Amino acid sequence: MTDKRKRRFWDDAEKIRIIAQTRMPGVSVAQVARRYDVNANLIFKWLRDPRFSSAPDPGVDFLPVTITADPGPLPLKISRPAVPAPAEVRVEITTPGGCKVRVEGGLDVARLCDLVRGLER
């Protein structure tokens, strides 16, 4: 039992380089952790630390923005889609188990959700 594992020391530059690899498209933290023989939780800890994660993300691009003078209030037009009368509402639900429920007439969404949850049990 004399063979003790030594704790490795990662300097800040190495941490930033490792974190940058996790930001590449298609690369997971677990893959990078295996590559460096590090626990993935340690890399997640480094990602949360602003000292190491402040490196710019290579996949982020900014869009150009133009700021103009205030044109004043815009005309307010509110249009609502037509809601069918309650008698016209018909819903049929088939669960994966084969149960069918048909609701016609007035539709109370909360009661319908309770009914569907009861069928799933």
Side-chain angles (χ1 to χ4, degrees), residues 79-85:
S79 62
R80 296 183 182 185
V83 178

Side-chain angles (χ1 to χ4, degrees), residues 90-112:
R90 292 186 184 140
V91 177
E92 185 170 307
I93 301 170
T94 305
T95 65
C99 294
K100 288 188 178 185
V101 176
R102 182 179 299 156
V103 180
E104 294 181 6
L107 185 62
D108 182 7
V109 176
R111 290 184 67 198
L112 180 62

Side-chain angles (χ1 to χ4, degrees), residues 6 12 25:
K6 283 187 124 180
D12 293 351

Side-chain angles (χ1 to χ4, degrees), residues 44-104:
F44 280 117
K45 182 179 176 183
W46 295 343
L47 283 166
R48 287 189 305 270
D49 192 335
R51 293 178 297 165
F52 311 123
S53 64
S54 62
D57 190 349
V60 175
D61 291 327
F62 291 100
L63 297 175
V65 175
T66 304
I67 299 173
T68 59
D70 185 16
L74 299 174
L76 184 62
K77 250 193 329 191
I78 299 175
S79 62
R80 296 183 182 185
V83 178
E88 297 175 19
V89 176
R90 292 186 184 140
V91 177
E92 185 170 307
I93 301 170
T94 305
T95 65
C99 294
K100 288 188 178 185
V101 176
R102 182 179 299 156
V103 180
E104 294 181 6

Side-chain angles (χ1 to χ4, degrees), residues 4-76:
K4 284 190 171 182
R5 258 187 136 176
K6 283 187 124 180
R7 181 177 282 200
R8 284 186 284 180
F9 175 77
W10 299 94
D11 66 354
D12 293 351
E14 287 175 309
K15 292 177 186 179
I16 291 171
R17 188 171 41 90
I18 291 171
I19 287 172
Q21 291 179 26
T22 64
R23 293 189 175 139
M24 300 307 286
V27 178
S28 69
V29 172
Q31 289 172 330
V32 175
R34 275 184 257 135
R35 190 177 301 149
Y36 289 95
D37 194 28
V38 176
N39 191 320
N41 290 328
L42 182 61
I43 295 178
F44 280 117
K45 182 179 176 183
W46 295 343
L47 283 166
R48 287 189 305 270
D49 192 335
R51 293 178 297 165
F52 311 123
S53 64
S54 62
D57 190 349
V60 175
D61 291 327
F62 291 100
L63 297 175
V65 175
T66 304
I67 299 173
T68 59
D70 185 16
L74 299 174
L76 184 62

